[in-house]
Amino acid sequence: MAGISPQITNLVIILVMMQVAKKVPFDDPSVLNAVRALYIGSNIVVFGIYLYIQTQINRKKDMTTLKYVEPAPMGSSEEGKLVTTTVHAYDTAQVRSNFRTAFMGIAMMGFMHLYMKYTNPLLIQSIIPVKGALENNLAKIHLWGQPAVGDLKRPFKAAQSFMNPTGTTQSDKKAVEAAERAGRGGVKEE
């Protein structure tokens, strides 16, 4: 679905899979085990994608210096902090964040399924994480071979949301120089 927002396609997938889940006989143990196997298999695929991306990052080992200004925490009166790192370290941190997100999804799904006995989300969560892993910025660069320009230029732009109303990090020369002059951060992360 090229050209359509990933959030819209996620919503469509969720709505369709909710209707499909109503028709699946989860009280049949063989069907339930098959859906569990599908969920486990999809998570193995997600971790495989992230491991492949990590391998590509380590193989390229791009040591180009990357400077950007992280926004201050929400509600803080502080100004943003200057971060100086490398493309390799930045991408590695992004992959680790993706792994953490995947583990959190598994933990939440495990709680919902094993403790609360919900079965319908197993179907939805068998598709959405795989789609997310294939559509994230690192996959576009390291898996699909797209150049790191525009929206794929590091640091990646965070979408504005309720939790992040200021939007994203600043990497323009003016913001970086202002942060350097103000002495906010600047320690190189390895």
Side-chain angles (χ1 to χ4, degrees):
M1 295 187 186
I4 299 176
S5 166
Q7 292 85 1
I8 299 296
T9 57
N10 284 350
L11 184 62
V12 169
I13 289 170
I14 289 170
L15 293 174
V16 168
M17 292 310 292
M18 284 173 61
Q19 297 305 313
V20 169
K22 289 180 182 178
K23 308 247 187 274
V24 175
F26 287 111
D27 34 339
D28 181 359
S30 62
V31 171
L32 182 58
N33 285 335
V35 172
R36 287 174 178 158
L38 176 68
Y39 176 73
I40 291 168
S42 72
N43 279 296
I44 290 170
V45 168
V46 167
F47 283 106
I49 291 168
Y50 291 148
L51 284 172
Y52 177 77
I53 290 171
Q54 181 66 55
T55 303
Q56 293 302 310
I57 292 168
N58 289 336
R59 187 180 59 78
K60 292 175 184 175
K61 201 148 182 120
D62 186 352
M63 300 309 274
T64 305
T65 301
L66 178 65
K67 290 184 179 184
Y68 60 94
V69 179
E70 271 185 354
M74 191 169 85
S76 171
S77 61
E78 299 174 6
E79 292 192 29
K81 181 181 108 178
L82 177 67
V83 177
T84 304
T85 186
T86 64
V87 170
H88 178 263
Y90 180 81
D91 285 359
T92 299
Q94 292 293 310
V95 167
R96 285 185 183 142
S97 174
N98 291 342
F99 274 118
R100 276 193 299 277
T101 301
F103 278 123
M104 288 299 296
I106 290 170
M108 288 176 58
M109 192 66 240
F111 173 76
M112 288 175 56
H113 180 63
L114 300 173
Y115 183 73
M116 299 178 75
K117 306 295 183 203
Y118 289 134
T119 53
N120 293 5
L122 284 174
L123 282 176
I124 297 168
Q125 291 302 313
S126 296
I127 298 170
I128 298 292
V130 174
K131 179 182 173 291
L134 292 172
E135 289 179 339
N136 80 32
N137 290 335
L138 289 177
K140 289 177 183 175
I141 294 169
H142 297 289
L143 189 64
W144 305 119
Q146 293 180 11
V149 294
D151 287 344
L152 298 179
K153 188 172 188 251
R154 295 168 188 92
F156 301 131
K157 295 186 182 348
Q160 284 188 330
S161 67
F162 174 71
M163 296 300 289
N164 185 15
T166 58
T168 184
T169 58
Q170 297 174 320
S171 59
D172 58 287
K173 189 174 183 178
K174 183 179 175 183
V176 169
E177 286 176 354
E180 284 175 336
R181 279 192 304 273
R184 297 186 314 262
V187 177
K188 186 170 182 174
E189 295 177 3
E190 297 279 345

